Amino acid sequence: MDKEAVVQKTVETLAPFETANLVHFIKTLTVKSAMSNPWIIGAFLVIAFYAIVVRSKFVLSMLFAAVSLLLLLRYTLPTEGDTLSVSSTLPFAFGGLAIGAVLIYLNFIKTE
């Protein structure tokens, strides 16, 4: 392969990572698509591996908060077209309180 062919192949390969494409991806990202996207799941796994190897309580708690908030949003908020009601808002509120309580316990109360 000549130099121009390698450059062209590199440009084609890196085209999805252009800023405009990344901004469009983030704007159209939903909770459901975030939970099924292999890139996002892979990033969470890399961060989790790092946190476990380094034994960073802060990184693990932030990872727990992000994943639990994604799950909370996915399973408690109504779908498009539905309206908010008490039956959908109360599980969201108490789930958020439970996540906050776990984070406070892990970071401030529990000692090693």
Side-chain angles (χ1 to χ4, degrees):
M1 284 184 139
D2 60 337
K3 188 176 183 180
E4 292 179 17
V6 172
V7 169
Q8 184 64 26
K9 180 77 171 170
T10 305
V11 168
E12 290 174 5
T13 304
L14 296 176
F17 298 106
E18 291 178 344
T19 305
N21 292 335
L22 290 176
V23 169
H24 174 70
F25 172 74
I26 291 172
K27 282 185 178 179
T28 59
L29 187 66
T30 62
V31 175
K32 186 175 183 179
S33 65
M35 292 181 65
S36 62
N37 190 330
W39 287 101
I40 295 174
I41 293 171
F44 276 127
L45 289 175
V46 167
I47 293 169
F49 180 74
Y50 168 78
I52 291 170
V53 168
V54 176
R55 296 188 62 155
S56 172
K57 189 189 303 187
F58 177 75
V59 176
L60 279 174
S61 63
M62 289 302 112
L63 189 65
F64 167 76
V67 170
S68 58
L69 283 175
L70 276 174
L71 291 172
L72 184 68
L73 288 173
R74 168 81 169 99
Y75 291 113
T76 60
L77 288 184
T79 58
E80 294 179 21
D82 291 342
T83 60
L84 282 175
S85 64
V86 174
S87 63
S88 67
T89 306
L90 286 178
F92 178 76
F94 288 118
L97 286 173
I99 293 168
V102 168
L103 289 174
I104 288 171
Y105 172 74
L106 287 176
N107 288 322
F108 298 115
I109 298 172
K110 184 180 178 190
T111 58
E112 292 183 23

